[in-house]
């Protein structure tokens, strides 16, 4: 098979779809074909279990892990995807080309559901790793997948699009519970970007459990651990902070890996998505685990014995002197840990500051980072926000501006990192609490949503915001290729969703409401 079709991420070729022998993300046509086949197998399996009450945890994990493997930048290994197809033991495999080649609007609605499910599967997977499950979430995976393989019309699919957002909210709440009950409530934390001399390991992805296991196995071995990308918020959890060798954060967002990891004198653990195919200059020191897989890389299986990483770290030795790294704007440290628990504990102070005119506006500037030109928009917008406003942020899009020193307002830092992309749940809890305090609707708050998207987790978060009735969301840097003009018009008419323009024009519009 020498041809592929994929349009699920923001950087898809020509803003229409990757075709030919490889995608922009680096996956081959064979991998793309097998990911579609895996999705078809999950649709076939779901058609038989969607109405069953007693489905085993093993089967649900097969569904969740299979969906997770099809997210952008998770799995580039044809053999492991083929193995997962066989593991589904599906009664039939639905041909996803029926969707790709079908009616444009039906394709658009089914894509919103499917890509939302894929994003939600990442959150469900992380929760399951910590022993947390939810029957409603599990059964909706089956309901939504079955709908992809159905002949439902637009009037029937649109409510399922919004239900995807509804169930994703429940899934994010589940993961929030799993993380906070396992590691404690995040606390505001300053994280250095300097890499100390000596052996170290970099952990990228999202999985906090993998990080915890690695921290345990590297205690007293003279090896420091550094987070990368979406692992940054790990520094705010008390049960992870207690490890003195969890030192700081290495580099910036996922799309800079090939530059930042070049010739790195340390091993890197790939735990989940937001990954780049490794270059030869550091390929020998990359290790994968869980559903992540690349050809010819060492994979750490479910036993989670990280001995190969530890040995590689000691062998490479790290930097001979402290290695100075900076954020995109030249900063030497970043902060994180401003989750809903912290903010709600200080809700009274925040409300009083708003009433007193000390805080004029809140901006939620969050989502994915990426390599496509135009993402400096988010840096410039944050720089230009009023000095008496607060910027809430989450996910890796924050690396565009999280090293800026914007000072404080009313005793609070102007930039508050809520956490990972799934911590959109925290941002939602904060917004709801503020609305309750002011006895108004969320849309009536001095609060604006400016989102950046790249992959499918951003899709499910967007659907959750739409489910909650959030309006006037600005989305960029481009609109999804899989949203047809007619479906986009529905979103515009019902939710006033729109594309970003320029920081100056958008700030003027947002501050005038």
């Amino acid at each position: 098979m020498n041809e592929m079709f994929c349009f699920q991420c923001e950087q898809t070729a020509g803003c229409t779809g990757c075709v030919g022998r490889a995608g922009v993300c680096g996956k081959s046509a064979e991998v793309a074909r097998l990911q579609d086949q895996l999705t078809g197998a999950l649709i076939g399996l779901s058609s038989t279990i969607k109405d069953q009450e007693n489905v085993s945890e093993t089967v649900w994990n097969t569904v969740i892990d299979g969906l997770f493997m099809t997210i952008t930048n998770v799995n580039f290994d044809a053999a492991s995807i083929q193995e997962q197809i066989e593991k589904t033991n599906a009664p039939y495999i639905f041909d996803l080309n029926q969707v790709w080649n079908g009616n444009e609007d039906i394709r658009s609605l089914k894509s919103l559901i499917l890509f939302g499910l894929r994003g939600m599967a990442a959150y469900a997977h992380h929760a399951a790793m910590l022993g947390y499950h939810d029957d409603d979430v599990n059964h909706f995976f089956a309901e939504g997948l079955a709908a992809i393989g159905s002949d439902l019309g637009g009037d029937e699919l649109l409510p399922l699009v919004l239900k995807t957002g509804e169930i994703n909210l429940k899934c994010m709440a589940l993961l929030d519970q799993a993380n906070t009950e396992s590691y404690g409530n995040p606390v505001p934390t300053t994280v250095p970007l300097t890499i100390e001399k000596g052996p170290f390991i970099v952990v990228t992805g999202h999985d906090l459990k993998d990080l915890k296991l690695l921290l345990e196995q590297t205690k007293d071995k003279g090896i420091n651990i550094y987070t990368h990308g979406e692992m940054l918020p790990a520094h705010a959890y008390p049960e992870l902070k207690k490890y003195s060798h969890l030192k700081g954060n290495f580099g910036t967002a996922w799309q800079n890996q090939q530059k930042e990891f070049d010739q790195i004198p340390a091993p890197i653990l790939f735990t989940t998505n937001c990954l780049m195919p490794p270059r030869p200059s550091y390929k020998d020191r990359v290790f994968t685990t869980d559903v992540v897989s690349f050809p010819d890389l060492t994979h750490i299986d479910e036993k989670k014995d990280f001995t190969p990483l530890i040995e590689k770290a000691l062998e490479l030795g790290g930097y001979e002197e402290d290695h100075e790294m900076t954020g995109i704007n030249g900063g030497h440290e970043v902060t994180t840990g401003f989750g809903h628990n912290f903010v709600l504990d200080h809700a009274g102070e925040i409300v009083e500051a708003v009433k007193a005119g000390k805080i004029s506006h809140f901006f939620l500037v969050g989502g994915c980072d990426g390599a496509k030109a135009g993402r400096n928009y988010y840096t410039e917008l944050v720089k230009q926000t009023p000095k008496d406003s607060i910027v809430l942020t989450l996910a890796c899009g924050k690396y565009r501006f999280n090293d800026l020193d914007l000072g404080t307002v009313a005793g609070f830092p102007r930039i508050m990192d809520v956490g990972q992309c799934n911590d959109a749940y925290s941002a939602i809890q904060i917004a709801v609490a503020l609305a309750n305090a002011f006895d108004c609707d969320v849309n009536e708050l001095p609060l604006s949503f400016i989102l950046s998207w790249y992959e499918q987790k951003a899709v499910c978060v967007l659907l959750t915001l739409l489910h909650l009735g959030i309006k006037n969301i600005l989305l960029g840097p481009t609109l999804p290729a899989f949203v047809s003009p007619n479906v986009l018009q529905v979103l515009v008419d019902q939710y006033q969703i729109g594309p970003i323009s320029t920081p100056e024009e958008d700030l003027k519009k947002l501050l005038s409401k």
Side-chain angles (χ1 to χ4, degrees):
M1 172 66 72
N2 295 320
E3 295 295 325
M4 66 176 289
F5 172 74
C6 182
F7 64 168
Q8 69 175 0
C9 84
E10 183 264 336
Q11 290 181 181
T12 195
C15 293
T16 56
C18 290
V19 295
R21 297 188 177 186
V24 172
C25 67
K27 70 181 176 183
S28 66
E30 180 186 17
V31 166
R33 176 182 61 81
L34 287 171
Q35 287 181 338
D36 276 2
Q37 190 175 340
L38 174 55
T39 302
L42 295 174
I43 290 171
L45 174 61
S46 295
S47 68
T48 65
I49 64 174
K50 66 183 181 69
D51 296 320
Q52 294 180 11
E53 292 186 7
N54 298 314
V55 179
S56 71
E57 185 177 304
T58 299
V59 171
W60 287 129
N61 286 340
T62 297
V63 173
I64 291 168
D65 290 354
L67 281 168
F68 194 5
M69 290 176 77
T70 64
I71 287 182
T72 302
N73 291 357
V74 172
N75 193 302
F76 293 74
D77 182 44
S80 64
I81 300 172
Q82 181 62 53
E83 182 180 334
Q84 188 71 17
I85 293 170
E86 295 167 2
K87 187 177 179 180
T88 63
N89 196 28
Y92 68 92
I93 296 179
F94 176 77
D95 183 359
L96 212 56
N97 286 316
Q98 294 181 47
V99 176
W100 305 149
N101 298 325
N103 174 273
E104 181 182 36
D105 295 331
I106 298 299
R107 179 180 73 171
S108 181
L109 293 169
K110 287 186 174 182
S111 295
L112 281 166
I113 296 169
L114 175 59
F115 301 156
L117 290 175
R118 287 176 173 175
M120 188 166 69
Y123 304 148
H125 173 88
H126 296 314
M129 291 290 288
L130 295 171
Y132 289 73
H133 307 269
D134 185 284
D135 285 341
D136 289 343
V137 172
N138 287 342
H139 279 90
F140 185 71
F141 280 122
E143 179 185 355
L145 282 167
I148 306 302
S150 73
D151 59 358
L152 296 177
D155 291 342
E156 298 164 297
L157 289 170
L158 184 57
L160 280 175
V161 170
L162 297 179
K163 187 174 181 180
T164 305
E166 175 188 1
I167 300 300
N168 183 60
L169 178 61
K170 180 171 286 193
C171 190
M172 289 193 297
L174 178 71
L175 181 53
D176 179 81
Q177 179 189 5
N179 285 338
T180 55
E181 290 184 357
S182 298
Y183 309 117
N185 287 310
V187 295
T189 303
T190 299
V191 183
L193 303 181
T194 298
I195 311 303
E196 296 181 13
K197 66 180 180 179
F200 68 97
I201 297 172
V202 175
V203 184
T204 190
H206 301 73
D207 200 285
L208 299 180
K209 183 176 181 180
D210 283 334
L211 176 62
K212 174 71 158 40
L213 293 171
L214 180 62
L215 287 167
E216 273 294 315
Q217 293 180 38
T218 50
K219 281 194 306 186
D220 305 319
K221 293 188 182 295
I223 299 173
N224 291 329
I225 306 298
Y226 293 87
T227 57
H228 174 269
E230 279 272 63
M231 293 298 293
L232 169 63
H235 292 273
Y237 287 93
E239 287 302 305
L240 300 177
K241 286 170 65 70
K242 69 182 184 182
Y243 293 92
S244 60
H245 61 302
L246 178 60
K247 289 290 187 177
N249 192 68
F250 183 102
T252 53
W254 68 271
Q255 78 278 0
N256 299 319
Q257 287 176 26
Q258 292 181 334
K259 177 182 177 181
E260 293 175 346
F261 291 166
D262 188 48
Q263 305 294 339
I264 182 175
I268 309 122
L269 178 63
F270 282 7
T271 68
T272 57
N273 63 310
C274 295
L275 307 172
M276 294 284 284
R279 288 179 173 172
S281 63
Y282 62 89
K283 188 174 183 179
D284 65 320
R285 58 207 66 183
V286 175
F287 297 79
T288 63
T289 191
D290 236 338
V291 300
V292 179
S293 188
F294 287 78
D296 305 321
L297 297 188
T298 302
H299 187 77
I300 305 298
D301 64 20
E302 64 275 4
K303 296 178 182 178
K304 301 295 183 179
D305 180 357
F306 293 118
T307 299
L309 276 90
I310 294 170
E311 293 176 344
K312 179 63 75 171
L314 294 173
E315 172 195 333
L316 293 170
Y319 295 109
E320 294 182 358
E321 301 292 338
D322 288 356
H323 181 68
E324 297 292 334
M325 301 188 75
T326 65
I328 289 177
N329 302 286
H332 294 275
E333 62 184 23
V334 294
T335 58
T336 190
F338 295 91
H340 62 87
N341 185 71
F342 170 82
V343 176
L344 297 187
D345 280 349
H346 294 81
E349 301 167 53
I350 293 173
V351 169
E352 287 305 312
V354 173
K355 290 181 177 178
K358 296 179 180 178
I359 299 176
S360 66
H361 205 88
F362 297 88
F363 297 90
L364 176 61
V365 187
C368 309
D369 204 355
K372 184 177 289 187
R375 288 182 179 267
N376 60 320
Y377 162 93
Y378 298 94
T379 310
E380 295 307 312
L381 182 133
V382 168
K383 284 181 178 179
Q384 295 177 41
T385 53
K387 294 182 178 180
D388 59 355
S389 66
I390 285 178
V391 177
L392 300 171
T393 189
L394 52 89
C396 63
K398 61 176 166 268
Y399 281 104
R400 291 284 168 171
F401 51 80
N402 68 340
D403 64 320
L404 291 171
D405 182 6
L406 297 187
T408 62
V409 56
F412 296 95
R414 285 202 51 224
I415 297 179
M416 293 187 180
D417 176 16
V418 176
Q420 295 182 336
C421 54
N422 51 280
D423 289 312
Y425 176 76
S426 269
I428 289 167
Q429 295 303 105
I430 293 168
V432 170
L434 288 173
N436 289 337
F438 286 103
D439 192 25
C440 68
D441 183 84
V442 170
N443 290 306
E444 297 173 316
L445 288 170
L447 169 65
S448 301
F449 291 80
I450 308 97
L451 305 182
S452 55
W453 83 284
Y454 175 77
E455 41 89 303
Q456 297 77 64
K457 288 187 292 181
V459 174
C460 64
V461 170
L462 175 62
L463 297 183
T464 293
L465 296 176
L466 298 182
H467 153 71
L468 292 170
I470 306 297
K471 297 182 178 180
N472 298 302
I473 297 170
L474 293 180
L475 183 64
T478 58
L479 295 178
F482 52 82
V483 175
S484 68
N486 288 333
V487 171
L488 177 61
Q489 193 59 51
V490 171
L491 300 180
V492 171
D493 291 344
Q494 294 189 12
Y495 303 100
Q496 290 78 60
I497 192 170
I500 59 172
S501 57
T502 67
E504 294 78 12
E505 291 175 1
D506 288 343
L507 281 171
K508 182 178 179 180
K509 177 172 61 176
L510 295 172
L511 292 171
S512 66
K513 72 170 187 176

